[in-house]
Amino acid sequence: MKQRKILFVDHAAVLGGAELHLLDIATAYKETSRVFLFTDGAFRHKLEAAGIKVRVAQANQSILNVRASSGLEAFKVLPNLWKMAGQVASAARGFDLIHANSQKAFVASALATFRGSPPVVWHLQDILTAKHFSSINRRIAVWLANNCATRVIVNSEATGKAFVAAGGREELVRVVYNGFDSTPFDRITPEQAQQIRTQLGIKDVPVVGVFSRLSYWKGQHILLEAIRKLPEVHALLVGEALFGEEEYVTELKSLAAVPELAGRVHWLGFRDDVPVVMKACDIIVHTSTEPEPFGRVIVEGMLAQRPVIATAAGGAIELIEDRVTGRLVPPGDAKALAKTIKELLDDRTTAIDLGKQGYKQAKTNFSLETILTTFDRALPK
Ligand code: UDP
C-alpha cells in the first residue's frame, strides 16, 4: 500500500484539521512521496519532524490572501494560480498521482493537468455551501473536479452530498473519514491530567473544553453564553485564530470580560498536547454554528473518554449517536448547550458511560489503520 508515489499538495502551512490529517496520511507514504506547500510555516516543521520530504513553493501572495468566499477576485487570482500550476507540474514529475488537500491546492493541481502532470485526486474537506464559498469559487472548483479530477475524496457523507448538490459528479466521490491513533490518549495518566488543572489553578471545579481554532463559525461564543448561567463551570478555550480572524478574538475577549464569567474562562492558545488537556476536562464541547465537515475534535474527545457534546449538523451527526456515544444539541443554541452540560455534570454515571461508549465508537470506526486502508483503496488504481 505504501509504495505509491504521491505528491501531496496543500496551500496552507498552519496546523488546521486538514493539515493534521494530511500529516498522518503523508507519514504512511513517506518512503515514496513528498509534500508540496504553497508557503512555509509550522506545518512544514511538523512534516519534516515526521521524516516527510517537503518542498515549499513561492506562491504569489494574492493566492494566499484570496478568501474562499470572495467573488470576482477569484478570477483575478487565476493567472497566478496558472503560474503555480507550472510549479506543481514540475514538482509532480516522476510521481504517480497528485493529492490536493485544499481547494486552492486543487485548483492549481487541476490546472497542472493541462501542463502534463499526473492524475489529480481532490481531498475535499469543506462543505461547499454558499456560507463559506462564493458561487464563482464553487463553480470553478466543481467544473475542474468534474473535468480534471480522477477522484474526489470527501471527509464525510455530508461533505460528499454538498459537492454533488453543487453539481459535482457523484461517481467521483469516495468517503474517507479521518483516522486517529489512540496511543497518545491512552498513555495519559490521571496525574498528568491533574497537573494541567493545577497549572491553571482549577483543581476541583467542573471543566468544559472547546478545542478549535478561534473563528466565528466554530462558535466559542456559544459556550461562553452557555456557562454564564452555570456559575461553577470553568471553560478552557484551546486554539488560536489560524486564518486572520482577530476581530472574533477581540469579540470573545469582551464577552469573557463580563463579571459573571470572571476567572472562569481560560485561554490556552494553540496546544500541541491536546490529549492531556482533553483528559483534564470533564466534558468536551464542539460548538460549530455551521455544519462541520468532519470535526476531528469530536473523535479526539471520544478517545479521551470524555462525554462529547456536539452540534447536530454536517459530519458531526455521522460521528455521534445522540445519548449513546455522546450528545447532540442544535447549532447556535446556548440554552440547549447549558442544559446538556448541566445534565452531564449532575449525572456522572451517564457522563462516564457516554465517554466509554464514545471511546469504543472511535476505536472501532476511526482507527488510523482502518482509515489508511480505506484511503488507499479510494485512490485510482
Ligand atoms: N488542535 C490542536 N491544538 C489546538 C487546537 C486544535 O492541535 O490548540 C487540533 C485538534 O486536536 C484537531 C484539529 O486541530 O485535530 C482541528 O480539527 P477539526 O476537524 O476539529 O477542525 P478544523 O480546524 O479542521 O476546522
Side-chain angles (χ1 to χ4, degrees):
M1 134 174 172
K2 292 165 190 152
Q3 298 313 310
R4 287 168 184 262
K5 291 188 192 164
I6 306 176
L7 183 72
F8 296 99
V9 183
D10 200 322
H11 82 278
V14 293
L15 297 174
E19 287 67 39
L20 292 170
H21 182 41
L22 178 59
L23 174 65
D24 288 333
I25 296 175
T27 301
Y29 294 89
K30 70 179 176 188
E31 300 308 329
T32 50
S33 302
R34 181 187 285 267
V35 174
F36 181 90
L37 301 176
F38 286 7
T39 184
D40 205 0
F43 185 37
R44 175 177 66 83
H45 301 294
K46 274 249 180 227
L47 290 162
E48 287 179 345
I52 298 161
K53 292 182 230 43
V54 184
R55 181 160 157 188
V56 180
Q58 290 312 316
N60 185 290
Q61 204 55 35
S62 66
I63 299 180
L64 302 171
N65 291 346
V66 71
R67 295 208 165 243
S69 55
S70 64
L72 282 173
E73 240 181 276
F75 271 117
K76 287 195 208 142
V77 178
L78 278 178
N80 286 326
L81 277 167
W82 178 249
K83 278 190 202 149
M84 179 51 79
Q87 292 193 48
V88 173
S90 97
R93 244 173 250 140
F95 287 88
D96 303 330
L97 207 60
I98 296 179
H99 168 279
N101 201 55
S102 63
Q103 194 190 352
K104 287 175 191 174
F106 171 62
V107 173
S109 303
L111 293 174
T113 61
F114 295 102
R115 307 176 73 150
S117 73
V120 178
V121 172
W122 183 13
H123 201 144
L124 172 57
Q125 313 193 49
D126 294 306
I127 295 192
L128 290 180
T129 56
K131 182 84 188 174
H132 297 295
F133 294 88
S134 69
S135 150
I136 284 176
N137 265 316
R138 269 182 295 161
R139 278 176 203 210
I140 294 174
V142 170
W143 188 90
L144 288 171
N146 287 345
N147 292 283
C148 307
T150 52
R151 283 278 186 283
V152 177
I153 294 180
V154 293
N155 57 358
S156 64
E157 300 278 350
T159 302
K161 275 191 190 136
F163 170 71
V164 174
R169 280 163 50 206
E170 198 164 2
E171 64 274 21
L172 291 173
V173 175
R174 302 285 184 282
V175 178
V176 181
Y177 290 119
N178 281 209
F180 302 82
D181 176 10
S182 68
T183 319
F185 294 87
D186 295 341
R187 64 173 171 224
I188 304 295
T189 62
E191 292 71 32
Q192 288 170 316
Q194 195 55 42
Q195 235 176 0
I196 296 281
R197 282 187 174 233
T198 308
Q199 284 161 9
L200 295 170
I202 46 169
K203 272 199 163 159
D204 299 315
V205 292
V207 176
V208 177
V210 63
F211 293 73
S212 291
R213 60 194 153 87
L214 304 178
S215 166
Y216 193 83
W217 76 274
K218 290 290 186 181
Q220 283 88 353
H221 58 288
I222 305 290
L223 176 62
L224 296 190
E225 210 179 312
I227 66 159
R228 266 176 94 148
K229 301 256 158 46
L230 301 170
E232 308 278 288
V233 177
H234 285 237
L236 305 190
L237 301 193
V238 185
E240 63 184 0
L242 291 184
F243 300 106
E245 285 142 311
E246 303 304 334
E247 261 174 44
Y248 181 59
V249 180
T250 312
E251 198 181 307
L252 272 180
K253 295 240 155 133
S254 72
L255 279 178
V258 297
E260 300 107 287
L261 289 177
R264 294 202 283 131
V265 180
H266 307 269
W267 302 85
L268 274 68
F270 185 88
R271 299 286 294 224
D272 246 337
D273 55 351
V274 164
V276 69
V277 184
M278 282 192 167
K279 290 257 191 189
C281 297
D282 296 291
I283 298 172
I284 310 296
V285 294
H286 159 268
T287 48
S288 294
T289 55
E290 296 292 320
E292 184 73 59
F294 179 81
R296 290 174 59 85
V297 290
I298 298 170
V299 181
E300 290 167 343
M302 290 167 154
L303 287 174
Q305 297 198 44
R306 293 295 177 267
V308 179
I309 307 173
T311 53
I317 48 187
E318 296 164 48
L319 310 181
I320 287 189
E321 192 182 340
D322 191 29
R323 296 181 189 269
V324 179
T325 53
R327 294 290 302 268
L328 292 172
V329 292
D333 188 341
K335 262 196 189 154
L337 180 61
K339 185 167 169 274
T340 311
I341 291 173
K342 185 159 184 342
E343 274 172 30
L344 291 176
L345 292 174
D346 288 348
D347 181 356
R348 294 305 296 153
T349 313
T350 301
I352 290 168
D353 190 52
L354 284 178
K356 282 191 181 147
Q357 297 307 321
Y359 181 77
K360 265 196 214 160
Q361 146 86 339
K363 287 275 279 190
T364 311
N365 295 322
F366 304 104
S367 87
L368 184 56
E369 220 186 330
T370 312
I371 297 299
L372 286 174
T373 307
T374 316
F375 174 83
D376 199 70
R377 288 197 188 128
L379 298 175
K381 297 294 156 243

